[in-house]
Amino acid sequence: MAGNITFTMIKPEAFQNGHTGKILDMILNKGFRISALRILKLSQEQAGKFYEVHKERPFYSDLVGFMSSGIILAAILEKENAVDEYRKLIGATNPANADEGTIRKAFGQSIQMNAVHGSDSDENANIEASFFFTVLERC
Ligand code: ATP
Ligand code: MG
């Protein structure tokens, strides 16, 4: 149901460093249900399209290069008030400012390599979920 899903990615550095299991554990422990999940490597073009909203920002081309540099995990998460609840669990964009107990505090390395993505609105959660998953791929 709209409002109850969010979309996440475990970013290349966190996947490469073997943090996937612990991150999924934190997600499940917070009461999220995983309704779709896959691992993949984005092309530069796909990463560029996903982050198109940031294309005027100075970090855009670095971000696209980073997000297409290795394997990521993409997932749809369900919970009451999923977008806000997940933003709380992931913490501030810059891991240095993230609260104790958040995913970015535990696993983020820098403002760019901050372990995970989380949708910022219900509308974007639905757009992002559809970018990665067809209806048939959601349970
Ligand atoms: P995300 O959208 O990945 O969940 P966010 O919503 O906390 O992160 P955004 O402002 O949407 O932050 O930025 C998207 C991503 O761009 C960040 O997660 C980070 O990887 C990168 N980023 C943001 N700000 C900077 C910056 N100042 N320098 C380098 N990279 C940045
Ligand atoms: Mg964002």
Side-chain angles (χ1 to χ4, degrees):
M1 199 200 299
N4 287 338
I5 70 153
T6 192
F7 171 78
T8 190
M9 293 183 283
I10 297 180
K11 297 187 179 184
E13 98 287 1
F15 189 90
Q16 170 71 27
N17 290 329
H19 299 316
T20 299
K22 286 186 179 136
I23 292 171
L24 290 176
D25 205 38
M26 288 174 80
I27 290 170
L28 293 170
N29 279 337
K30 275 282 169 192
F32 289 91
R33 179 180 169 274
I34 297 171
S35 59
L37 185 149
R38 63 189 287 214
I39 62 167
L40 72 152
K41 192 164 182 289
L42 289 171
S43 66
Q44 288 229 5
E45 194 189 1
Q46 289 166 330
K49 192 161 180 349
F50 184 85
Y51 279 112
E52 209 158 32
V53 295
H54 295 310
K55 72 170 178 288
E56 305 304 333
R57 314 264 295 266
F59 57 82
Y60 174 72
S61 60
D62 275 0
L63 178 62
V64 168
F66 164 59
M67 288 302 293
S68 57
S69 68
I71 296 169
I72 61 160
L73 181 147
I76 301 173
L77 308 177
E78 284 180 15
K79 190 181 197 243
E80 186 76 35
N81 204 16
V83 167
D84 289 347
E85 289 294 303
Y86 192 58
R87 297 290 303 192
K88 274 191 232 155
L89 177 61
I90 69 181
T93 306
N94 187 344
N97 302 328
D99 291 339
E100 269 320 316
T102 63
I103 294 173
R104 285 172 168 166
K105 176 74 176 181
F107 301 113
Q109 292 182 5
S110 68
I111 192 164
Q112 179 187 70
M113 297 187 185
N114 57 6
V116 286
H117 164 81
S119 305
D120 60 11
S121 66
D122 291 343
E123 186 190 1
N124 284 335
N126 283 299
I127 292 169
E128 292 171 3
S130 306
F131 185 88
F132 282 88
F133 298 101
T134 67
V135 171
L136 287 175
E137 290 168 326
R138 304 183 191 192
C139 299

